[in-house]
Every structure is written in structure tokens, then in C-alpha cells.
Amino acid sequence: ASNNGVDSIRELRDEVAFTPVVGKYRVYIIDEVHMLSAGAFNALLKTLEEPPEHVLFILATTEIHKVPATILSRCQRYDFRRIPPEIIAARLNQIETEEGFTLEGPAASLLARLGDGSMRDAISLLDRSVSADGHIDLGRVTEALGVPSADTVVEVYRAITAGDSVKALEIFTDCYLEGRDIVSLFDQLLSLLRDLYVLKATGRQEYLMSASAADPAALQALANQADGPTLEYFVGCVSDLLTRLTRTALKRTDGEMCLLKMCLRHQSMEAKPVQMAQPAPVAAPVAAPVAKPAA
């Protein structure tokens, strides 16, 4: 992405005329190709349209919509899908065997979910979690990455559904003082809300994504106790907060306000008096007119 100017592309264009010394092809991999300037794209266009037989270009990008249509029309497009968590976890266990450390199953599953479909990100998180004694468990992963445990997220959810603002703030403050990532805490809370919503709507456990997915029976019990409008309100609150956290320095204050907002709504719902329907007033009977006798 740093070599995105027209001069870099012109230099590359001059090099492609030379045949390879070893092998059949000269392969050029341009990563983050959407970062090229307009002039660089124009300089590359003619070469892509009529490349030498011994040259192969591989253009990689995560933002395909930023690549000009004139470039896309001259390429074969391959969309790489996100890797399923079970495949990522299996690869992490393979690395465990090759490197000689111990990785527990729940820790591998959490790293795979945090990787969000990216093998590279999951392996990077694994590198950060390696301990001196070579043993990686669930506690080690949450401590090294600064993410809250699944039990902590469930405790926060129980507190806000019970309207216990004191308990919710206590858990949040403990996480903050321990150096936990505030964004990760609410990310995990949103994932939990999403899983409860999915369970309540479909009952399908194979769609679960949160860290609490390791205990689907407990999640199902929480989903049975939840109601749709409340979950929808909580999802809206957390989603709005996560949008603000990307552009504010007051992460702690915003996080506390979000928790209090959810707790106080629950309290107001419990305190709202139930109004009994009043019976409709019964109309008084109207006497029929009496006919006068004929004179």
C-alpha cells in the first residue's frame, strides 16, 4: 500500500518485459490494490489488458468497491470466504503440536471466534497468548488479550435484565480497573444478545457465535426468560454505544451511561402501574313513546 504512486507502477511496468530467470512466470502480488492512485491505475491498465505471456498479476484487496470497473473487467475475480471457527481451531491445535506448547480446547475455540473468520488474525492472537510455561488456557487468553470472560459478560447481562444498576457498574468498574478492553466487553455483550435473539427466534444452536456458545443449555435458559422487545432495545443501545466508542475518548463514561440506560429502562417497566380496563357505561333504557287514543 505504500508503493501506490504512478512512478511505482511505471517501474513495475518496465520490469514485466524481462523474462523470468527461474521458473515459468514472473508473479506480481499487489496487496491492498485499492490504495493505488487514479494515475497508478491508469498506468497499470494497459499492462493488465495485454500482459506478456510470462507475467501473472495477483491483485488482493479487502475493499473491492474501491477498485475501478476498468480494472475489474480485466481480471478473474475470486472471493475468499471467512474460515469457519472449527477449521481455525483445528489449525491452532496443529500449531500447538508443531511448536510444543499446550492449548486447551476452550481457549482454541475462543481464539477462533475472536479471529472472526481470519486465520492470520487468529494466529496473531495465539502468539500474544503464549505464556512462559507453554500452557494456554481460557484464563490466559482473556488476560493476555484484555477481553472479558464469558461468565463476566453473562453477569453483566443478568444485572441489566434485573435492573440492578449497582451490580452492573461494579462488574464494569472491575473490568476497567483490570485493564479489560471496553470495546471488547460491549462487543461480547452484543454477541451474547445476538445469540439470545437467534435462539429465541429459531432455537438453532449451530448459529451461536458468542463466547458463551460453549454452554448452549445455559444460553437456551437465558433465551427462554428473555422477551423480544427487551432484547431489541438492548441491541440498539449497545450498537449505538459501539458506534460512539470509535470517536470518543470518554469510553468509560459512555459505557457506564449505556449500562445505566438499560438498567433504568427495566426498572421503569417494573414500576409502571397496570391500569385495569374500566367497564363501559351502560346506557339508561329509553322509554318508548305512548300512542294517544284517537278523539
Side-chain angles (χ1 to χ4, degrees), residues 95-271:
I95 295 175
E96 166 201 7
T97 303
E98 295 173 352
E99 299 296 332
F101 57 84
T102 304
L103 177 63
E104 293 187 359
S109 299
L110 177 58
L111 289 170
R113 285 193 294 271
L114 293 176
D116 194 24
S118 171
M119 185 69 73
R120 178 181 61 183
D121 291 348
I123 294 176
S124 297
L125 295 175
L126 174 63
D127 290 339
R128 292 169 53 187
S129 304
V130 175
S131 58
D133 59 1
H135 181 77
I136 306 175
D137 57 10
L138 198 58
R140 172 60 188 173
V141 172
T142 57
E143 180 181 356
L145 303 182
V147 298
S149 65
D151 293 339
T152 300
V153 178
V154 171
E155 288 180 7
V156 172
Y157 171 77
R158 291 184 184 278
I160 61 177
T161 53
D164 191 346
S165 55
V166 175
K167 181 66 174 178
L169 286 183
E170 285 180 354
I171 300 172
F172 178 83
T173 302
D174 290 341
C175 290
Y176 183 81
L177 296 178
E178 291 173 0
R180 305 295 181 183
D181 184 15
I182 301 302
V183 177
S184 178
L185 171 62
F186 284 96
D187 272 336
Q188 294 296 323
L189 180 58
L190 185 60
S191 296
L192 175 62
L193 294 171
R194 177 259 182 202
D195 282 357
L196 295 178
Y197 223 143
V198 168
L199 279 178
K200 194 163 189 67
T202 67
R204 304 287 293 274
Q205 296 181 359
E206 61 267 29
Y207 297 142
L208 301 182
M209 295 175 55
S210 68
S212 301
D215 191 0
L219 274 182
Q220 186 64 62
L222 289 176
N224 294 338
Q225 299 170 2
D227 64 276
T230 300
L231 288 176
E232 184 177 354
Y233 178 77
F234 289 165
V235 167
C237 291
V238 177
S239 298
D240 292 342
L241 171 68
L242 290 174
T243 301
R244 293 196 307 273
L245 288 180
T246 59
R247 58 178 187 271
T248 180
L250 302 176
K251 291 183 171 58
R252 178 177 184 177
T253 301
D254 273 355
E256 290 172 340
M257 293 301 101
C258 178
L259 292 175
L260 291 176
K261 180 180 179 181
M262 291 186 286
C263 291
L264 292 177
R265 176 185 185 273
H266 185 83
Q267 293 175 0
S268 64
M269 289 177 61
E270 287 188 340

Side-chain angles (χ1 to χ4, degrees), residues 7-76:
D7 293 335
S8 299
I9 297 301
R10 285 173 178 170
E11 182 180 349
L12 182 150
R13 188 180 58 187
D14 294 338
E15 290 180 357
V16 299
F18 298 100
T19 57
V21 178
V22 178
K24 186 178 180 180
Y25 294 99
R26 292 174 65 94
V27 181
Y28 292 88
I29 302 176
I30 305 179
D31 195 14
E32 302 295 342
V33 70
H34 63 273
M35 296 293 291
L36 293 182
S37 64
F41 275 125
N42 291 331
L44 185 62
L45 187 59
K46 184 64 176 178
T47 305
L48 287 181
E49 189 173 17
E50 298 177 358
E53 294 182 356
H54 60 271
V55 173
L56 179 64
F57 287 99
I58 299 177
L59 312 182
T61 181
T62 54
E63 301 185 43
I64 191 67
H65 61 280
K66 293 185 178 180
V67 180
T70 52
I71 298 293
L72 292 176
S73 64
R74 289 161 173 79
C75 300
Q76 294 182 2

